[in-house]
Amino acid sequence: MTGRPRAFDRDEALDRAVRVFWRHGYEGTSLSDLTAAMGINRPSLYAAYGNKEALFRQCLDRYHQGPARHVRESLAEPTARAVAESLLHGTVAVVTREEGPGCLLVHGALATGPGSEAVRAESAARRAAQRAALCARLERAARAGEFPSGTDPALLADHLTTLTHGLAVQAAEGLPAARLHRIAAHALLHWPH
């Protein structure tokens, strides 16, 4: 005997869940918010995605593959400076989208209550992995001679990571994209060369 087929588009519903978590964060999003936005009932949500925590993890994956793909794509740029430009300006483009504003990975689970430690830890681990990938890319650039002697690729990765997170916070507070792009351009004036 086969079950009744799902009467909803799983990917479309997941995209809607991403937008809800992106706008309200993990703690600020209720199951009722999710089911209303996704157009499904709770049993369907649990059957298709698991619990709220499992759904949030899937939303983080979707966010990384979709709106935040610039982070991964930036690492493929031919020079370290191009990596930084792509990362900073790509971040501005994402954090000023209507779905946000801000960054799901930065804001989504930064402040959580008891019982949500795993979600906060998951988000922190993903941010750390992004920083590690950026550091590895900048270390390759250093070995290729792209930086002056004494440039610390790890410190530069920390600097860029802090800037991208700061841009997300500023966007969440309402700074317009034009101003954020100016901030990114100013930061690049101090790029080691």
Side-chain angles (χ1 to χ4, degrees), residues 124-172:
R126 289 175 186 240
R127 288 190 303 272
Q130 287 182 352
R131 186 247 171 231
L134 177 60
C135 186
R137 174 63 181 89
L138 296 177
E139 286 170 350
R140 285 196 313 273
R143 287 192 300 273
E146 290 187 47
F147 300 125
S149 177
T151 300
D152 182 347
L155 182 60
L156 199 53
D158 287 339
H159 177 72
L160 285 171
T161 300
T162 301
L163 282 170
T164 59
H165 294 171
L167 290 168
V169 170
Q170 293 293 330

Side-chain angles (χ1 to χ4, degrees), residues 44-130:
S44 294
L45 185 147
Y46 291 128
Y49 307 100
N51 63 15
K52 180 181 171 184
E53 184 179 317
L55 175 60
F56 184 72
R57 283 192 171 95
Q58 292 172 63
C59 287
L60 288 175
D61 291 339
R62 189 79 163 188
Y63 179 77
H64 180 70
Q65 296 301 318
R69 70 183 168 275
H70 75 282
V71 174
R72 184 181 65 258
E73 292 170 352
S74 294
L75 299 177
E77 291 290 337
T79 65
R81 170 145 183 137
V83 168
E85 288 174 357
S86 176
L87 182 63
L88 292 174
H89 290 291
T91 294
V92 171
V94 171
V95 301
T96 57
R97 288 173 59 149
E98 189 176 321
E99 292 92 332
C103 172
L104 176 61
L105 195 54
V106 171
H107 299 102
L110 215 53
T112 55
S116 298
E117 294 87 0
V119 170
R120 186 174 53 249
E122 173 80 18
S123 294
R126 289 175 186 240
R127 288 190 303 272
Q130 287 182 352

